[in-house]
Amino acid sequence: MGGIDKLTEQIVKRFRDSGFDVDAKEISKRLNLLIYEFKVPESEAVRTVTNYLMKELDIDREQLAAESPLVRIADVTTPGKWVSLKAKVIQLWDATSPNISQVGLIGDETGIIKFVTWAKAEKEEVKEGKSYLFKNVVTDSFGGRMQVNVNRNSQIVEIEEDVQLPPRELEVVGALIAIQQNSGLIRRCKLCNRTMTKDICPLHGKTEGYDDLRIKGIIDDGKNFYEVILNEDNIRELTGIGLKEARKIAEEKLERSAVLAELKNRLLGRYFRVAGMRGERYLIVREVEFLKQDIRQIAGELL
Amino acid sequence: MNGRKREVARRLFAYEFNRSAHKIESAEERSPTYILTPTGVRCNRVFVVGVLLDREETKPDTNFWRIRLSDPTGVFTGYVGRFQPDALETLLEVEPPELIAVVAKVRHFEGETRSFVSLRPENIAVVDSDVRDYWVYETARLTLERIKAMESKEEEDVLLAWQVYNPDLEEYRSVVKQALQTVIEGAVEVRGEKEEDKEEKWEEEEEKQLEEEFEFEEEEWDLSDILGE
Ligand SMILES: [Zn+2]
C-alpha cells in the first residue's frame, strides 16, 4: 500500500501545483484497481489515472504542471518519482526486447544513471555524446539500482549546452574474472546498430548486418567489481586482434566463436589497469592496459 | 529477470581458506551462502592464482575432476565437472604442473567430524608468473587490511570472526609475510600442509554429494539482463 500512497500523493501534487483539486481517495482507488487487480505497470497506471482526471476536469496537458522538478542525477534515490534531468548520453547499449527502444547510460556532473526509453513512448532516438533535457521521466529501481524510464509523457529535447560528466575519473586495477558469452566477433544491424542473433535484429528482424568486436566482462579487484565493455580499439591494443584479424581467425577455424575462445585465452584471469568513468556498477572504459608493476618493490613496501 | 546481486571475488591465501569453517546462510530463499574466514570476510566467490599440482578424475569415466592448486601458503582443493563447461574445457587442456588463475564459487561441506571447504571453478585460465606474483601481492595487501579491521573490532563480520575463531592474528600476519618473501626472492616454493593430509572418508562423502549436485546458481549479469540477446 505504501507504493499506492506515494503515487497518489504524486498525482495530487501535480494537479494541486496547477491549481486543481482532486480527490485523493478516488485516485488511490483507481491506482489500486489498475496495479493490483489488473497488474498494470505503475507508470502506466499513473498515466491512465492522470488522463482520466484531465478528462474529468476538462483540462489539457498544457494546463497541467508538466514540468517535473529538474534534479541532478545524484539526487535520484527513490523510485516512482517524476523528474527532469539535463544529461549527456554516455553510452548506448543494445536493447533486450522489442519493447525497449533505447537503453544506456546518461550522466551529469553529479553522476551516471541508466536510462530506458520504451518503444511505446515513440521518442526520437538520442545519440552518444549529445546532451539533452529529459523532461518528465520516471525514476525506477532495477536490481537494486536506480534508473530513469522515458515514457509517453516524457519529452527529450536536445540542448546546446554540453553537459559535464563527473569530474573525477576512476582508475581500477583488477582481474578480468569473467567474459560474457555474447562477446567476441559479433554482428550488428546496419539500421540500428543493435546486436543481432543469428542475423536477426531484435527490432528489424532479418536484415543486413555488419561485423564488430567487443568484450563484455567483469573487472574485480577483490573488494568491488565493475562491468566493462571493451570495444574494438581496446581489444586491438591489448591483443593485436582487430576486426580484420578476428575475421581471419573465424575463417580459419570455420566458426566465429573461435574468436571469443582466443580472446578468453589471452585476457581472462589477467590483471588490468582500467581508467574511465564510474557509474553505479559500470566502468566506462577510456583506457585499458595489462598491468605492469614492479612487484618486488610494492611487495617490499608491504613488509 | 531481476537477478541476485553479483558477488565479489575475494582474495585469500590457501592457509586462511582451509581454516574457514564457518558457514553463513540466510533464511531467505535463494540468497547466497558464504563462508566466513578467520580474518572476518564473508566470501562466496574467490579469485586464486596458483600452481595446478594435479587433476584427477574422482572415479574413472565420470568426467568429474578433483584439482589441487597451490599458493605459497598451502593447497586449495577444487572440483570441476560438466556443470562448469568453460572451466572443464580449459582444465582438460592443461598439463600440470602449470600456473593457472581460477575464478571459483566457494563450497562448504559439513562432514561428520569436521567441515571442509573447496573451490568450484567457473573459469580457469593459464597465466604467467607476473599474474601469480601480483595475485600474491594483492592477496597479501587485502589480508593485511582485514587483519587491521580485525584489530579495530567494529564491523559485524569481524566481531563474528572473533567469536567463531578467536584467531591469532600474528599467525596470519606471518603467513602473509612469508608469501610476500617468496615473491621478493623470486621463487615461490610449494609447501604442503601436514595437517591437511586427506582424510579419505570425508572426501569421498563430499565427492559423492558433489556428483549428485545439479545446482546452478543464478546470479545477475547486469549487462546481460539489459542487453540480453
Ligand atoms: Zn535493427
Side-chain angles (χ1 to χ4, degrees):
Chain A
M1 283 308 282
I4 297 285
D5 290 346
K6 266 196 190 145
L7 295 176
T8 303
E9 202 184 289
Q10 187 186 310
I11 295 173
V12 170
K13 183 173 182 305
R14 191 168 174 207
F15 279 87
R16 197 195 300 122
D17 289 352
S18 320
F20 301 101
D21 260 336
V22 284
D23 182 3
K25 243 177 155 174
E26 174 72 17
I27 293 170
S28 164
K29 207 176 88 191
R30 281 174 182 272
L31 285 174
N32 236 321
L33 187 71
L34 288 169
I35 294 169
Y36 291 117
E37 289 290 317
F38 296 119
K39 312 288 179 205
V40 172
E42 285 190 1
S43 57
E44 203 57 27
V46 168
R47 201 181 66 82
T48 307
V49 174
T50 305
N51 286 348
Y52 160 81
L53 292 168
M54 286 194 305
K55 219 179 261 171
E56 286 288 292
L57 293 164
D58 197 23
I59 54 174
D60 54 34
R61 197 158 296 281
E62 275 73 62
Q63 290 168 270
L64 203 56
E67 299 299 289
S68 311
L70 189 65
V71 300
R72 313 263 259 166
I73 286 174
D75 299 326
V76 176
T77 50
T78 35
K81 294 244 185 299
W82 290 79
V83 298
S84 299
L85 297 167
K86 252 198 231 172
K88 182 192 264 183
V89 178
I90 301 170
Q91 198 175 62
L92 293 171
W93 301 338
D94 309 323
T96 31
S97 85
N99 297 335
I100 292 174
S101 137
Q102 280 191 308
V103 55
L105 297 175
I106 56 175
D108 67 13
E109 260 177 31
T110 69
I112 292 170
I113 197 166
K114 184 177 128 193
F115 83 98
V116 174
T117 304
W118 299 108
K120 269 207 277 180
E122 291 175 358
K123 297 292 169 231
E124 287 225 358
E125 298 203 336
V126 295
K127 293 194 178 71
E128 277 182 13
K130 298 222 162 180
S131 299
Y132 300 85
L133 175 61
F134 292 82
K135 262 197 212 170
N136 304 325
V137 295
V138 183
T139 65
D140 195 0
S141 112
F142 179 89
R145 293 173 314 286
M146 298 305 299
Q147 66 176 48
V148 290
N149 297 333
V150 179
N151 61 31
R152 261 192 278 177
N153 288 339
S154 313
Q155 265 180 291
I156 306 179
V157 188
E158 194 180 331
I159 52 175
E160 287 290 309
E161 184 188 337
D162 183 27
V163 174
Q164 295 301 298
L165 295 171
R168 261 192 314 146
E169 260 210 345
L170 180 75
E171 194 183 272
V172 176
V173 171
L176 184 65
I177 64 159
I179 293 180
Q180 208 188 348
Q181 209 50 41
N182 49 10
S183 300
L185 185 58
I186 57 160
R187 212 148 167 82
R188 292 186 187 278
C189 169
K190 264 195 177 157
L191 298 170
C192 68
N193 303 327
R194 285 182 174 83
T195 311
M196 303 170 88
T197 316
K198 292 182 179 140
D199 289 330
I200 292 173
C201 167
L203 194 64
H204 297 102
K206 210 165 172 72
T207 174
E208 237 183 297
Y210 64 96
D211 285 339
D212 193 12
L213 199 58
R214 67 136 180 236
I215 285 179
K216 294 195 285 186
I218 292 198
I219 295 276
D220 183 310
D221 66 5
K223 293 174 111 176
N224 290 297
F225 63 86
Y226 306 87
E227 296 180 8
V228 296
I229 298 180
L230 305 184
N231 62 21
E232 192 210 340
D233 288 343
N234 300 139
I235 296 169
R236 196 194 306 105
E237 273 171 40
L238 290 172
T239 63
I241 299 175
L243 253 186
K244 212 175 76 195
E245 293 77 12
R247 281 206 202 93
K248 217 173 134 199
I249 294 172
E251 274 163 32
E252 275 168 13
K253 306 268 175 162
L254 301 171
E255 54 179 355
R256 294 168 73 86
S257 63
V259 175
L260 178 56
E262 182 59 27
L263 292 176
K264 279 186 175 173
N265 272 341
R266 299 208 196 182
L267 301 172
L268 206 55
R270 270 64 159 196
Y271 284 98
F272 296 88
R273 185 186 299 280
V274 187
M277 247 175 335
R278 178 176 186 171
E280 205 175 337
R281 267 170 62 178
Y282 326 94
L283 183 58
I284 318 300
V285 177
R286 188 176 53 74
E287 261 176 27
V288 55
E289 56 179 24
F290 283 106
L291 180 67
K292 291 183 283 286
Q293 188 76 265
D294 184 348
I295 296 286
R296 285 183 192 205
Q297 195 203 323
I298 56 174
E301 283 163 12
L302 270 189
L303 275 178
Chain B
M1 183 127 149
N2 216 340
R4 178 204 302 164
K5 188 174 164 4
R6 192 184 167 85
E7 294 290 335
V8 172
R10 302 292 174 188
R11 315 289 204 261
L12 65 163
F13 288 118
Y15 186 90
E16 180 172 3
F17 182 75
N18 289 328
R19 283 162 180 75
S20 302
H22 186 75
K23 188 177 182 178
I24 298 175
E25 267 176 309
S26 152
E28 268 171 70
E29 214 181 315
R30 299 198 53 74
S31 62
T33 56
Y34 302 88
I35 56 163
L36 180 71
T37 81
T39 61
V41 68
R42 61 172 69 202
C43 101
N44 167 275
R45 170 182 280 129
V46 291
F47 177 63
V48 177
V49 181
V51 185
L52 177 68
L53 297 176
D54 52 55
R55 52 149 210 252
E56 204 182 350
E57 227 171 346
T58 53
K59 277 192 212 95
D61 305 318
T62 51
N63 211 8
F64 189 74
W65 301 79
R66 175 176 49 241
I67 64 171
R68 296 200 311 127
L69 181 67
S70 166
D71 74 8
T73 73
V75 178
F76 295 90
T77 304
Y79 295 92
V80 184
R82 62 188 187 281
F83 300 120
Q84 299 89 36
D86 284 356
L88 183 62
E89 196 185 325
T90 316
L91 179 70
L92 297 180
E93 288 165 3
V94 180
E95 257 330 302
E98 179 77 271
L99 269 182
I100 58 171
V102 175
V103 182
K105 286 287 196 170
V106 171
R107 196 173 188 288
H108 179 276
F109 175 74
E110 201 76 55
E112 270 171 32
T113 50
R114 51 163 290 185
S115 67
F116 170 63
V117 281
S118 60
L119 304 177
R120 190 169 26 171
E122 300 169 305
N123 275 313
I124 296 177
V126 176
V127 295
D128 62 22
S129 59
D130 285 350
V131 174
R132 190 267 325 273
D133 288 353
Y134 190 80
W135 180 83
V136 171
Y137 158 77
E138 183 188 48
T139 304
R141 180 168 54 77
L142 293 171
T143 307
L144 290 174
E145 272 181 28
R146 294 198 298 270
I147 290 173
K148 274 215 174 106
M150 284 294 281
E151 286 168 336
S152 54
K153 300 190 183 184
E154 280 160 16
E155 296 152 44
E156 195 184 324
D157 285 345
V158 157
L159 296 175
L160 184 59
W162 275 115
Q163 193 191 327
V164 173
Y165 299 104
N166 192 27
D168 174 4
L169 294 179
E170 275 319 303
E171 174 190 332
Y172 286 94
R173 211 175 251 129
S174 101
V175 166
V176 167
K177 284 186 176 161
Q178 283 168 35
L180 281 171
Q181 282 300 348
T182 62
V183 166
I184 291 167
E185 286 154 19
V188 177
E189 100 189 74
V190 174
R191 295 188 340 177
E193 277 181 285
K194 285 200 193 75
E195 80 266 39
E196 294 298 324
D197 280 343
K198 302 295 176 229
E199 298 164 40
E200 289 296 330
K201 204 174 127 218
W202 56 254
E203 196 165 76
E204 266 172 34
E205 218 179 324
E206 151 106 25
E207 281 163 9
K208 195 159 154 255
Q209 218 189 51
L210 273 169
E211 279 171 50
E212 288 162 3
E213 183 172 286
F214 207 108
E215 177 195 0
F216 177 66
E217 284 191 46
E218 265 180 64
E219 209 177 24
E220 184 184 359
W221 249 103
D222 188 72
L223 291 171
S224 69
D225 280 339
I226 297 159
L227 306 173
E229 301 152 336

